[in-house]
Every structure is written in structure tokens, then in C-alpha cells.
Amino acid sequence: MGSQMLRKPRVVCLHGFRTSAEILKKQVLRWPLTVLDKLDLVFLDAPFPAQGKSDVEAFFDPPYYEWFQANQNFTEYTNFEECLEYIENYMIKNGPFDGFLGFSQGAVLSAALPGMQRDGLALTRIPKIKFLILISGAKFGWSKFGHHKLSCKAFSTPLECPSLHITGEMDFMKPESTALLESFVDPFVINHPKGHTVPRLDERSTEVMLEFIERIKKTTATDDEQNRSA
């Protein structure tokens, strides 16, 4: 029983726009082993092949994928419901999972999931999301991204889902990522000096990450104990 309570949190990792699970994996696996050894990370490719040029072509090989599509102004979305169904089906087949790690488009999507799940609009067939790790995140309905009909109330009240937010000082998404913090109760924050990327973790960032992992491990252990008692 003790070993079950101390299991690693299982995390679905959602990559950025027109990248891939393999690309995100290469970036995240640069983190210290003291962090990686405490998480069970599963990297998932988005369901739709990239419909245009990828910004990472000079750095990473294809194939590239995207979670959903939007018009030029990011006010209308297509394939959004299909994306949610794809993620949920994967989690049912391969779960259980505890939380999400997302970068860029993957972080925008991940940030909205707890609220949509709370309202019965997404991920209704899987257990409650226990935590989020959001890298270069943003929220639907803010300055850069309009709402999809399913996300309209996702941030209507502050989310008590434990969250860690990683933001770059030179990231064009920094204002979005900063605004996102207001939608979560007691968020953990890591700031780094680079731009729109998955950063390496310095000593202080590693400390914050480990503190966050200890918090979510307690949440996971408590939920496991409750499930065994039910």
C-alpha cells in the first residue's frame, strides 16, 4: 500500500503548435534527473497533421502536428471537439493519468481542461485532473485567443487545480502567460530569461519544480487512498 501511495504522478504531455511528441520529449528530457525521476511522463502526438509551415523546421525534423485549427485571428476554431475526444480516448485506453504538461498550444489547451471538465463539457469519462504544468501558456478569451463555445466558462471562477507556470522573459506569450496566473489559486511560477521555448531548469527553477511535485504527490496519494476506501 505504501508503495502505491508513493507512485510517480502520471502526466500526459501535450506539445506545441506544429511540432510533435518527440520534439517536446527531447526538450523536456533536458531537465535534471532529480525532476524527471519523480514523474511518469507520456508524450502524445496531436491528432491532426500540420496544415502549414512549422516554426521549428530549422531545428527539428518532421512530422509535425497540431491539436486543432483556428482562423487567422484565433476567434473561430475547427476540430476542437475532435481533439478533446481524441485525448479522452487515449487517456481511457492508456490511463489512469493524473495531470497534464503542455507547451504553447498544448498549454493553452491544458489550461482550459479543468474548467471544461468541471462543467461537464470535456473529459467526462476520466477522473478529475489533479494538476497542470503549463509552459508558455495562455487562456481562451484573452487578448490573443478567442473562446470556443466549450471554453466560454472554463475560467469563470478561479481554478483550484494545482498549477505550475513556466514563463519566458523574452516570450511573445509572456503577457498571456502572466494573465493566466489570475485564473488559478496559489499557482507556482518559474520565470526564465529566454523566449518561446521549453527552458532548461537552473538551480532555483529545479527547487520550485521539486516543491510543486511534492505538493501534487500528496494530492495523488490522498486521492488514491480515497479511491481504495470507496
Side-chain angles (χ1 to χ4, degrees), residues 13 54-55 59 77 100 113 150-151 187 194:
C13 301
S54 171
D55 290 337
F59 308 101
Y77 301 94
F100 286 90
L113 291 176
L150 296 182
S151 71
K194 296 186 180 297

Side-chain angles (χ1 to χ4, degrees), residues 1 3 21 24-25 29 69 78 86 110 139 142 147 160 202 217 230:
M1 181 178 293
S3 62
L24 181 60
K25 182 177 181 179
L29 291 187
Q69 290 84 36
T78 55
Y86 168 81
S110 296
K139 62 181 179 180
W142 196 243
H147 269 301
E160 296 185 2
D202 61 18
K217 283 175 65 178

Side-chain angles (χ1 to χ4, degrees), residues 8-77:
K8 296 179 182 180
R10 297 197 72 210
V11 190
V12 181
C13 301
L14 308 184
H15 60 77
F17 184 60
R18 294 179 182 170
T19 64
S20 69
E22 184 62 27
I23 292 171
L24 181 60
K25 182 177 181 179
K26 288 178 179 178
Q27 295 173 309
V28 170
L29 291 187
R30 298 180 303 182
W31 289 354
L33 288 178
T34 52
V35 170
L36 297 175
D37 286 345
K38 294 182 182 297
L39 298 171
D40 182 2
L41 301 171
V42 179
F43 296 85
L44 178 63
D45 278 323
F48 304 109
Q51 295 188 350
K53 183 177 176 61
S54 171
D55 290 337
V56 302
E57 289 179 1
F59 308 101
F60 298 102
D61 293 331
Y64 311 118
Y65 303 93
E66 49 201 44
W67 294 102
F68 53 88
Q69 290 84 36
N71 62 357
Q72 187 173 4
N73 297 323
F74 294 97
T75 57
E76 297 179 8
Y77 301 94

Side-chain angles (χ1 to χ4, degrees), residues 9-229:
R10 297 197 72 210
V11 190
V12 181
C13 301
L14 308 184
H15 60 77
F17 184 60
R18 294 179 182 170
T19 64
S20 69
E22 184 62 27
I23 292 171
L24 181 60
K25 182 177 181 179
K26 288 178 179 178
Q27 295 173 309
V28 170
L29 291 187
R30 298 180 303 182
W31 289 354
L33 288 178
T34 52
V35 170
L36 297 175
D37 286 345
K38 294 182 182 297
L39 298 171
D40 182 2
L41 301 171
V42 179
F43 296 85
L44 178 63
D45 278 323
F48 304 109
Q51 295 188 350
K53 183 177 176 61
S54 171
D55 290 337
V56 302
E57 289 179 1
F59 308 101
F60 298 102
D61 293 331
Y64 311 118
Y65 303 93
E66 49 201 44
W67 294 102
F68 53 88
Q69 290 84 36
N71 62 357
Q72 187 173 4
N73 297 323
F74 294 97
T75 57
E76 297 179 8
Y77 301 94
T78 55
N79 291 320
F80 193 78
E81 294 94 336
E82 291 83 353
C83 169
L84 296 177
E85 183 179 6
Y86 168 81
I87 292 173
E88 184 171 37
N89 287 339
Y90 178 86
M91 295 177 74
I92 291 171
K93 182 178 180 180
N94 299 281
F97 292 96
D98 300 299
F100 286 90
L101 179 154
F103 169 64
S104 194
Q105 189 187 38
V108 176
L109 178 59
S110 296
L113 291 176
M116 291 192 291
Q117 186 185 51
R118 173 200 64 209
D119 297 336
L121 299 175
L123 307 187
T124 57
R125 296 176 291 157
I126 61 172
K128 181 181 177 181
I129 299 166
K130 299 183 179 71
F131 64 88
L132 301 173
I133 299 173
L134 305 173
I135 310 167
S136 296
K139 62 181 179 180
F140 292 113
W142 196 243
S143 60
K144 282 187 180 295
F145 302 95
H147 269 301
H148 183 273
K149 62 182 180 181
L150 296 182
S151 71
C152 285
K153 296 183 179 180
F155 304 104
S156 58
T157 59
L159 297 165
E160 296 185 2
C161 179
S163 60
L164 170 66
H165 304 251
I166 303 177
T167 303
E169 287 298 318
M170 302 300 293
D171 190 352
F172 70 91
M173 290 273 279
K174 181 183 176 182
E176 306 288 321
S177 298
T178 302
L180 181 62
L181 295 175
E182 301 173 0
S183 295
F184 288 86
V185 176
D186 298 327
F188 282 60
V189 180
I190 291 175
N191 293 303
H192 64 89
K194 296 186 180 297
H196 195 69
T197 187
V198 178
R200 297 178 185 271
L201 300 179
D202 61 18
E203 184 175 352
R204 176 54 188 155
S205 298
T206 299
E207 290 177 1
V208 175
M209 179 71 78
L210 291 174
E211 290 172 8
F212 180 73
I213 293 172
E214 286 305 308
R215 175 181 175 182
I216 63 176
K217 283 175 65 178
K218 292 177 182 177
T219 302
T220 302
T222 300
D223 289 348
D224 286 350
E225 184 67 24
Q226 292 174 344
N227 290 337
R228 284 195 295 272
S229 300

